[in-house]
Amino acid sequence: NAGVTQTPKFQVLKTGQSMTLQCAQDMNHEYMSWYRQDPGMGLRLIHYSVGAGITDQGEVPNGYNVSRSTTEDFPLRLLSAAPSQTSVYFCASSYRAGGQTDTQYFGPGTRLTVL
Amino acid sequence: GNSVTQMEGPVTLSEEAFLTINCTYTATGYPSLFWYVQYPGEGLQLLLKATKADDKGSNKGFEATYRKETTSFHLEKGSVQVSDSAVYFCAPGGNKLTFGGGTRVLVKP
């Protein structure tokens, strides 16, 4: 198993550009999520999904869109990049049982810089 | 949703010292509780977990006990090593998973 994969590893954008961060998992996990990690801020939840076709907002959803057309993939789209979106982005996935998530498996992260 | 309050760092220790990181949780029901660790330049990975009250999770010399009475899940290690330098995150299970700020631990030789 490859686990959770994220592409790209690094990205530099100019203000106003759009892009999609890719996330895929091969563990048949129902639950997938996106976090951003800023220095001194811990991890903040952007969006999450409890299954294909179902997404919901996290703590900091503004400026980001997601979709979940398959169990495996959960892309994160930046609509119009802003310097405030400079961060490290992590994707994670986990099993769910009885409405509760189990251990989350994290990808290696994407380091995004917006100039 | 479920949430945690975790002691702020950084925590600086000498090798072989005793480590405690406090974590208290607020949750609906009794979710599983987790400790994750993040080494420099990497994503988070599971350190240990407990699935019900009074369970003790353990791994790599670390331990944490699920205390329903005090809504706590404190992380402990009896003798830390330089390689334990990392950021540690406490997190409850649930439907909308959030993390606290993490606790940075620095172990000096």
Side-chain angles (χ1 to χ4, degrees), chain A residues 31 35 43-45 58-59 104, chain B residues 1-4 90-100:
Chain A
Y31 187 95
Y35 298 89
L43 271 77
R44 292 185 290 172
L45 181 65
E59 304 167 85
Q104 289 207 84
Chain B
N2 300 340
S3 64
V4 295
C90 180
N95 199 39
K96 182 177 175 179
L97 300 179
T98 58
F99 288 82

Side-chain angles (χ1 to χ4, degrees), chain B residues 38-59:
Chain B
Q38 184 180 30
Y39 299 106
E42 299 182 9
L44 278 70
Q45 57 186 274
L46 178 70
L47 178 60
L48 55 84
K49 70 178 184 181
T51 57
K52 60 184 186 296
D54 299 325
D55 265 4
K56 177 185 284 187
S58 61
N59 186 28

Side-chain angles (χ1 to χ4, degrees), chain B residues 24-37:
Chain B
T24 56
Y25 66 89
T26 302
T28 302
Y30 302 104
S32 296
L33 300 175
F34 302 86
W35 276 101
Y36 291 87
V37 59

Side-chain angles (χ1 to χ4, degrees), chain A residues 8-102:
Chain A
K9 284 187 167 43
F10 301 94
Q11 183 70 50
V12 178
L13 294 177
K14 294 181 179 177
T15 297
Q17 287 185 314
S18 62
M19 79 159 296
T20 299
L21 307 185
Q22 301 293 342
C23 174
Q25 53 92 8
D26 60 359
M27 297 173 282
N28 202 31
H29 286 167
E30 291 181 276
Y31 187 95
M32 296 187 75
S33 55
W34 277 101
Y35 298 89
R36 60 176 289 174
Q37 185 174 35
D38 304 300
M41 297 290 291
L43 271 77
R44 292 185 290 172
L45 181 65
I46 304 172
H47 286 286
Y48 67 101
S49 168
V50 299
I54 305 169
T55 63
D56 207 346
Q57 296 181 347
E59 304 167 85
V60 288
N62 292 341
Y64 307 95
N65 272 357
V66 291
S67 60
R68 185 95 180 268
S69 55
T70 67
T71 299
E72 294 78 18
D73 300 298
F74 191 45
L76 178 72
R77 282 183 287 277
L78 279 69
L79 309 173
S80 177
S84 61
Q85 294 178 305
T86 294
S87 188
V88 180
Y89 291 84
F90 289 101
C91 179
S93 72
S94 72
Y95 285 115
R96 293 179 79 238
Q100 298 287 324
T101 53
D102 197 5

Side-chain angles (χ1 to χ4, degrees), chain B residues 76-94:
Chain B
E76 297 180 337
K77 185 172 185 180
S79 177
V80 294
Q81 306 299 312
V82 172
S83 57
D84 294 324
S85 297
V87 182
Y88 294 82
F89 293 89
C90 180

